[in-house]
Amino acid sequence: MFVYLSKLLPPLFYPLGLTCLLVLLALFMRRQRLRNGALLLALALLLITGNRWVALGLARSLEWRYLPQGELPEAEVIVVLGGGTLSPQYPRPLVEVDQAGDRLIYAAQLYHQGKADRLLLSGGRIEWISAGNPPAEDMAALLEMLGVPRQAMWLESESRNTYENAANARALLQPMGIQRVILVTSAAHMPRAVAIFEKQGFEVIPAPADFTVTLAGWQKLKSGGVATQLLSLLPSAENLALTTRMLKEYLGMLVYRLNGWM
């Protein structure tokens, strides 16, 4: 039940969902003043959450919590969380990656650098949301293309969320006495993932990938001219999507804390 509610309810509280609710509410309001207020609030919500300052500011607040600090130490296993792959369904000729697929490239690099001898690929499929293979299987196929031998991978294909990623990883690794792991996931997701894995008793070495905000990009935003600033204030679908992803992480942190998972 938690998985269903966690997927169905949050969109109603994200900017686009709230905007739609406000517009819908305005259609049924009889008082002109209340109707105008609801429509103005909907417009303000899109203007605020769709501008670049808000989107990058929220992303930076999460992504920069685990910035790279020199060379990563070695560990017993590299844990890679699913979410960056697209199954080879027609007309795709092979497994493809989305923006979060950077984590697979980074995981392969860490393996080839000798940071760990094994990789645990964690990610299952929610059947009523998506079709295709479990992400763990798709990640394994891509990592093989990147030169990682199949025998170096353990697949965990039952997890439906980050809590289950950590709990199932513990069930697999604890009997082998493995506690120290390199955790690879998207930078914005890393704060929540680290807290959940530590709650399960792991010693976590964060290895974030998929950064949206770079130092050069942030400085450019702050020091740009009038044209840059005006363009940054204009709402866009890209900024709205980024804001939504960051709000999803903050909401996830709140829900996971309330459940005692982090």
Side-chain angles (χ1 to χ4, degrees):
M1 180 60 71
F2 174 81
V3 174
Y4 286 97
L5 293 178
S6 68
K7 303 299 181 183
L8 291 174
L9 294 181
L12 298 177
F13 298 95
Y14 297 149
L16 187 58
L18 278 177
T19 299
C20 291
L21 287 176
L22 287 169
V23 172
L24 186 63
L25 187 62
L27 293 175
F28 291 95
M29 287 180 172
R30 294 184 177 181
R31 294 185 180 182
Q32 184 68 33
R33 186 174 180 180
L34 291 177
R35 186 183 304 118
N36 291 342
L39 291 175
L40 285 173
L41 186 58
L43 178 61
L45 186 62
L46 285 179
L47 289 173
I48 293 172
T49 58
N51 82 70
R52 193 163 180 78
W53 275 101
V54 171
L56 292 187
L58 283 172
R60 178 175 177 268
S61 71
L62 288 169
E63 293 183 351
W64 285 23
R65 296 191 190 185
Y66 291 99
L67 291 174
Q69 303 291 330
E71 186 174 349
L72 286 180
E74 295 181 4
E76 296 165 287
V77 66
I78 301 168
V79 178
V80 190
L81 302 188
T85 57
L86 301 168
S87 288
Q89 306 170 53
Y90 181 82
R92 293 185 197 126
L94 73 169
V95 179
E96 296 181 359
V97 296
D98 58 19
Q99 184 178 0
D102 299 344
R103 63 183 73 172
L104 294 173
I105 299 172
Y106 192 28
Q109 182 187 50
L110 292 174
Y111 174 80
H112 290 306
Q113 290 175 345
K115 298 302 180 182
D117 295 328
R118 292 276 187 171
L119 296 94
L120 172 59
L121 313 179
S122 180
R125 179 173 65 88
I126 302 177
E127 294 184 358
W128 56 278
I129 292 181
S130 61
N133 303 321
E137 294 181 15
D138 288 339
M139 288 193 291
L142 280 171
L143 285 169
E144 279 192 282
M145 295 181 199
L146 295 171
V148 179
R150 188 72 176 222
Q151 60 266 27
M153 306 178 210
W154 292 322
L155 273 62
E156 186 283 296
S157 58
E158 300 298 324
S159 299
R160 298 168 297 174
N161 54 41
T162 312
Y163 168 73
E164 292 183 2
N165 287 142
N168 291 343
R170 179 186 179 188
L172 287 169
L173 300 178
Q174 190 177 48
M176 293 182 278
I178 297 176
Q179 289 185 317
R180 193 177 197 220
V181 301
I182 296 174
L183 184 60
V184 180
T185 188
S186 296
H189 183 232
M190 187 62 77
R192 180 158 55 119
V194 167
I196 295 168
F197 271 76
E198 288 181 341
K199 185 78 172 184
Q200 292 292 327
F202 287 104
E203 179 188 347
V204 180
I205 302 170
D210 181 26
F211 281 90
T212 304
V213 184
T214 64
L215 179 59
W218 184 250
Q219 290 176 342
K220 179 66 175 178
L221 180 65
K222 293 194 301 179
S223 61
V226 175
T228 301
Q229 299 304 328
L230 288 176
L231 186 62
S232 298
L233 291 174
L234 293 177
S236 73
E238 180 183 359
N239 293 333
L240 184 62
L242 180 57
T243 297
T244 300
R245 292 206 310 271
M246 299 307 114
L247 291 177
K248 177 183 177 181
E249 281 302 321
Y250 276 113
L251 181 60
M253 288 180 182
L254 174 62
V255 172
Y256 278 42
R257 286 192 187 281
L258 292 176
N259 278 283
W261 294 346
M262 58 181 287

